Amino acid sequence: MHELLSQRLDRLNLERLNLLSSCEKQWPQDTDATAVFAMLFIPAFRISHESVGGKSFMRLLGRVYSDRSPFIRAYLQEHYRPIFGRFFEAFSRTLPDLPRSELGLRLHFGLKALSGILAGEDMQKLIDDLSMGETINDGELLARLISLISPILTAPFGSPAQIRVIEQVLQLDDATAEAARKAIAEPGSDTQPTPGVLEWLKEGRLAL
């Protein structure tokens, strides 16, 4: 298994590092998070188009990155820590106001989400979903994919407005859950919202 990973991932990661270095040299002051994501995705996307093994490559990539097996995690950490570090620093430079610990958390969830998609879908199915019946080129396709992932790095993280909305839903959930428990305990009762919930809705207290 380690030999298989080396055959596939060594080349991929070398191409990613070469592309990152070239882009940093070409545009030293003009790189954003979208561009760094593109540097990660484009080599893998190109390899996925190859006639030998290309169709299964992206699924393998997704499965490997989402696998929690200790021998897979240890192998990735030992062999690919330098590339993880280089891309982390690249993202950090594009988002200087984001604490490094938060950036690490956001990247973890973003890349995990992407790995889950790649592990569960073949590449053609993913392309069909992203194109939505349109004829689009590779640049447009990758832009759509990146647009789904990049907000994980830049969207507000637990802002007061977000917390207020979630707390309102939590309170409403308490009321509706209690109504459901009563309905199950009393088979003859209806399952309509409790008067308190109706009043909340009428008064607009569940305001977004």
Side-chain angles (χ1 to χ4, degrees):
M1 186 64 183
H2 288 174
E3 181 64 24
L4 172 63
L5 293 178
S6 291
Q7 289 177 1
R8 284 301 196 176
L9 298 183
D10 286 354
R11 171 194 166 190
L12 170 63
N13 287 333
L14 178 59
E15 292 181 4
R16 283 170 162 171
L17 287 174
N18 289 343
L19 183 58
L20 174 61
S21 297
S22 180
C23 289
E24 288 176 334
K25 182 178 180 180
Q26 185 77 18
W27 306 292
Q29 305 298 328
D30 192 27
T31 303
D32 60 13
T34 295
V36 180
F37 270 124
M39 297 168 208
L40 272 174
F41 295 166
I42 286 174
F45 186 73
R46 174 173 36 74
I47 291 174
S48 74
H49 286 325
E50 294 182 352
S51 58
V52 179
K55 291 184 178 180
S56 59
F57 174 73
M58 295 296 278
R59 180 173 288 184
L60 172 66
L61 196 62
R63 289 291 297 273
V64 166
Y65 287 156
S66 59
D67 196 310
R68 300 308 304 167
S69 302
F71 83 100
I72 295 292
R73 306 318 306 166
Y75 180 84
L76 292 178
Q77 291 173 11
E78 177 183 356
H79 287 77
Y80 302 117
R81 186 177 292 110
I83 187 173
F84 296 153
R86 283 277 279 116
F87 273 91
F88 183 89
E89 293 303 326
F91 278 115
S92 182
R93 287 192 295 273
T94 68
L95 300 163
D97 297 329
L98 195 65
R100 292 173 68 87
S101 58
E102 184 177 330
L103 173 61
L105 179 66
R106 287 173 178 255
L107 281 172
H108 173 77
F109 278 98
L111 296 177
K112 276 289 193 180
L114 180 63
S115 296
I117 293 172
L118 297 179
E121 302 284 357
D122 60 58
M123 194 60 191
Q124 189 56 54
K125 176 65 165 55
L126 181 61
I127 291 172
D128 292 342
D129 289 342
L130 289 172
S131 64
M132 297 184 292
E134 302 175 32
T135 300
I136 58 177
N137 60 35
D138 287 352
E140 293 170 313
L141 178 68
L142 285 166
R144 291 185 180 186
L145 176 61
I146 291 170
S147 72
L148 298 176
I149 303 298
S150 58
I152 292 177
L153 297 185
T154 57
F157 189 58
S159 68
Q162 290 173 323
I163 294 170
R164 183 171 61 253
V165 169
I166 297 301
E167 288 178 342
Q168 290 174 338
V169 176
L170 283 170
Q171 292 179 47
L172 187 56
D173 175 66
D174 288 339
T176 55
E178 180 61 25
R181 284 192 292 269
K182 288 181 179 179
I184 293 172
E186 303 173 12
S189 65
D190 59 47
T191 58
Q192 296 299 311
T194 63
V197 175
L198 293 175
E199 290 302 317
W200 270 40
L201 296 175
K202 290 176 182 177
E203 296 173 7
R205 290 171 61 189
L206 187 63
L208 302 182

